[in-house]
């Protein structure tokens, strides 16, 4: 078995039965080299009605360059994000919309990994939720904003602790992002590190991290996607009035880990 056969996107790029699909990809401008590399979906959560749109565009451009340097073929797609997320229910709906949109694209195109450029807690958690749900390598790339809200900073800190996020600045060389993309390439060629996230969470990887009440919904979603049934297993102090049911809100039920055809264990 060759290295190429270990990648998920072989289901649309290899074999005589996919000749038409390969012709379609060549028609889109992909080269032979692109076709031999792992495909990574790069979700661009840009909304020009928001002040961070320019920074997100710059982060997206840096991300595509980092993917190319790591030997990954990036495939861009857009994810609509909500304009107003001040109410808890709005944030949950925006997060689930981002997660479901990313999942549909990654599943439909058999991408090997997912990277999302995002700057709001809802979109960041949405991308991370998809990564965990599909058990694929992934990363959230966040632009370093001069005036980020407390919720944004807390979300970035949480995802960085889980090795699911990296911040980039257009003024600095994105060495950390380049290293993260190289790590994704290694995970694609081997097995997805996200399979161990549940053990990391139960093992106290978040430590004494301060989690504001406003982003417990996103953390709860990640925990439930990992198959963790109770937030008490995270070893964190829950804010008053927050429990397993109220943290998720909006009445969404999470079935726990799914048996996805993208799951490296299944392959």
């Amino acid at each position: 078995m060759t290295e190429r056969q270990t990648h998920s996107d072989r289901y649309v790029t290899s074999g005589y039965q996919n000749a038409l699909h390969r012709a379609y990809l060549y028609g889109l401008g992909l080269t032979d080299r692109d076709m031999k590399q792992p495909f990574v979906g790069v979700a661009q959560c840009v909304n020009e009605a928001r002040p961070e749109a320019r920074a997100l565009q710059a982060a997206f451009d840096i991300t595509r360059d980092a993917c190319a340097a790591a030997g990954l073929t990036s495939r861009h797609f857009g994810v609509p994000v909500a304009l107003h997320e001040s109410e808890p229910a709005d944030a949950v709906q925006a997060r689930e919309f981002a997660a479901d949109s990313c999942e549909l694209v990654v599943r439909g195109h058999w991408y090997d990994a997912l990277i999302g450029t995002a700057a709001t807690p809802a979109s960041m958690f949405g991308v991370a939720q998809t990564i965990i749900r599909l058990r694929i390598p992934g990363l959230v790339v966040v632009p370093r904003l001069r005036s980020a809200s407390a919720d944004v900073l807390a979300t970035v800190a949480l995802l960085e602790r889980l090795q699911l996020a990296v911040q980039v600045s257009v003024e600095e060389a994105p060495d950390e992002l380049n290293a993260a993309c190289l790590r994704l390439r290694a995970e694609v060629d081997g097995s997805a590190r996200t399979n161990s996230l549940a053990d990391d969470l139960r093992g106290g990887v978040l430590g004494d991290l301060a989690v504001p009440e406003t982003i417990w919904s996103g953390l709860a979603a990640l925990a439930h996607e990992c198959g963790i049934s109770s937030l008490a297993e995270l070893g964190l102090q829950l804010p008053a009035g927050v429990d397993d049911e109220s943290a998720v809100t909006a009445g969404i039920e999470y079935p726990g880990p799914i048996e996805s055809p993208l799951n490296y264990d299944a392959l």
Side-chain angles (χ1 to χ4, degrees), residues 157-182:
L158 189 155
L159 294 178
E160 283 183 328
R161 191 75 66 88
L162 297 173
Q163 297 185 37
L164 286 175
V166 61
Q167 292 190 80
V168 298
S169 172
V170 294
E171 293 88 6
E172 302 172 2
D175 294 335
E176 190 177 355
L177 177 59
N178 288 332
C181 286
L182 286 172

Side-chain angles (χ1 to χ4, degrees), residues 85-132:
E85 301 167 6
S86 60
E87 297 298 325
D90 294 337
V92 170
Q93 292 172 1
R95 185 195 73 222
E96 290 296 317
F97 188 45
D100 290 345
S101 298
C102 289
E103 180 185 0
L104 285 172
V105 174
V106 172
R107 280 178 173 271
H109 294 278
W110 287 92
Y111 291 150
D112 297 294
L114 171 65
I115 298 178
T117 52
T120 66
S123 52
M124 283 188 271
F125 276 122
V127 173
Q129 197 170 319
T130 305
I131 293 167
I132 295 174

Side-chain angles (χ1 to χ4, degrees), residues 11-27:
Y11 290 111
V12 293
T13 58
S14 299
Y16 69 89
Q17 71 275 14
N18 289 316
L20 183 60
H21 195 88
R22 286 196 299 276
Y24 174 77
L25 293 174
Y26 284 131

Side-chain angles (χ1 to χ4, degrees), residues 39 57 80 85 102 107 118 136 151 167-168 179 194-195 223 226 229 231 235 259-260 262:
F39 282 17
Q57 182 62 51
E85 301 167 6
C102 289
R107 280 178 173 271
I136 59 172
D151 286 353
Q167 292 190 80
V168 298
T194 49
N195 288 317
C226 286
S229 58
L231 297 180
E259 286 302 323
S260 165
L262 297 176

